[in-house]
Amino acid sequence: MLIEQPPLLLRWLYPRALWRMDKNVKAVYLTFDDGPIPEVTPWVLDVLDHYGIKATFFLVGDNVRKHPKEFQMILERGHRVGNHTFNHIGGFKHLSYNYLANTNEADALIQSNLFRPPHGWMRWGQYMVLRKHYQIVMWDLVTRDYSKRLNAPQVLQKVKKYVRNGSIITFHDSLKSEKNLKYALPKAIEWLLEQGYEFKVFD
């Protein structure tokens, strides 16, 4: 549960970040990390179109550089985008100067006011700088679709077990998540709709 639904102690580390939206509204915020890539992102967009849903994609700058067509597809279909650094680097493994420079490099391509740190961590100093320029978006529910220890039905079960009003749900449009994602995403969307959840994006 520490990963799927972070405890309050972890959420307090970054007090101005978004972890969960309004708990009084039966709505969820669907997000995708690590794209865009041609093998997975277009499929995700087609699924979202099928159900009439908008989502937020936290993009790796180098993937945007390599796959501009897929990046444009996300924008043209009316989805939100956010910065996920240029090289998907962890804040604790890099000096703040290098981390912030990497984020700025991604921003030159993505141009969004939303930021999500890879792996969900960053140094306090990095957070203090970035919060002045971005709305930092974390998560309330990580599906762990990337995990080799989980099969696709187990990923779906994570959604059913941990979702609640205002949940920010994180999937990944990446190769390592592809198999689990292609099973779990449409089934999760159908189940959430059956439960009466509305899908929203960030302002």
Side-chain angles (χ1 to χ4, degrees), residues 82-116:
N83 190 330
H84 203 44
T85 75
F86 193 83
N87 297 111
H88 198 268
I89 60 174
F92 285 162
K93 295 182 179 180
H94 293 80
L95 296 175
S96 291
Y97 175 83
N98 295 329
Y99 187 79
L100 296 171
N102 198 269
T103 300
N104 289 337
E105 188 176 4
D107 182 59
L109 296 173
I110 299 167
Q111 298 181 355
S112 170
N113 68 322
L114 304 178
F115 176 78
R116 173 176 283 167

Side-chain angles (χ1 to χ4, degrees), residues 9-202:
L9 180 61
L10 182 58
R11 297 168 191 249
W12 287 339
L13 289 176
Y14 311 114
R16 293 191 184 180
L18 297 178
W19 291 90
R20 181 187 180 189
M21 304 303 282
D22 193 341
K23 64 182 180 180
N24 297 309
V25 177
K26 198 173 181 65
V28 294
Y29 293 70
L30 199 58
T31 69
F32 296 87
D33 287 3
D34 300 352
I37 59 171
E39 297 88 347
V40 183
T41 304
W43 176 87
V44 171
L45 294 172
D46 287 344
V47 171
L48 296 175
D49 280 353
H50 176 76
Y51 293 101
I53 289 170
K54 301 302 179 186
T56 304
F57 290 77
F58 288 94
L59 306 171
V60 174
D62 196 38
N63 283 343
V64 172
R65 178 188 65 82
K66 291 185 291 188
H67 310 298
K69 178 181 176 181
E70 285 69 29
F71 175 56
Q72 288 301 317
M73 288 174 64
I74 295 171
L75 298 177
E76 290 169 0
R77 298 201 194 183
H79 301 284
R80 288 282 271 130
V81 295
N83 190 330
H84 203 44
T85 75
F86 193 83
N87 297 111
H88 198 268
I89 60 174
F92 285 162
K93 295 182 179 180
H94 293 80
L95 296 175
S96 291
Y97 175 83
N98 295 329
Y99 187 79
L100 296 171
N102 198 269
T103 300
N104 289 337
E105 188 176 4
D107 182 59
L109 296 173
I110 299 167
Q111 298 181 355
S112 170
N113 68 322
L114 304 178
F115 176 78
R116 173 176 283 167
H119 315 296
W121 295 93
M122 57 190 146
R123 297 174 189 263
W124 183 254
Q126 296 162 357
Y127 163 73
M128 293 297 287
V129 172
L130 290 171
R131 75 175 192 177
K132 297 177 182 178
H133 303 282
Y134 298 93
Q135 173 61 68
I136 297 172
V137 181
M138 303 300 263
W139 69 89
D140 184 60
L141 195 170
V142 172
T143 63
R144 296 181 65 198
D145 51 349
Y146 54 82
S147 177
K148 295 181 179 179
R149 297 182 180 181
L150 297 179
N151 60 36
Q154 288 172 321
V155 171
L156 174 62
Q157 190 58 37
K158 296 293 183 184
V159 176
K160 293 182 177 181
K161 181 176 181 179
Y162 292 110
V163 73
R164 54 188 178 175
N165 288 2
S167 281
I168 300 171
I169 304 174
T170 300
F171 285 95
H172 298 77
D173 53 328
S174 65
L175 290 177
K176 63 183 178 181
S177 304
E178 182 178 9
K179 183 177 179 181
N180 285 342
L181 180 70
K182 287 189 172 181
Y183 173 91
L185 179 60
K187 292 184 181 299
I189 289 173
E190 290 176 0
W191 183 84
L192 289 164
L193 289 171
E194 289 171 359
Q195 302 305 306
Y197 285 99
E198 179 184 1
F199 289 81
K200 291 189 174 185
V201 294
F202 306 101

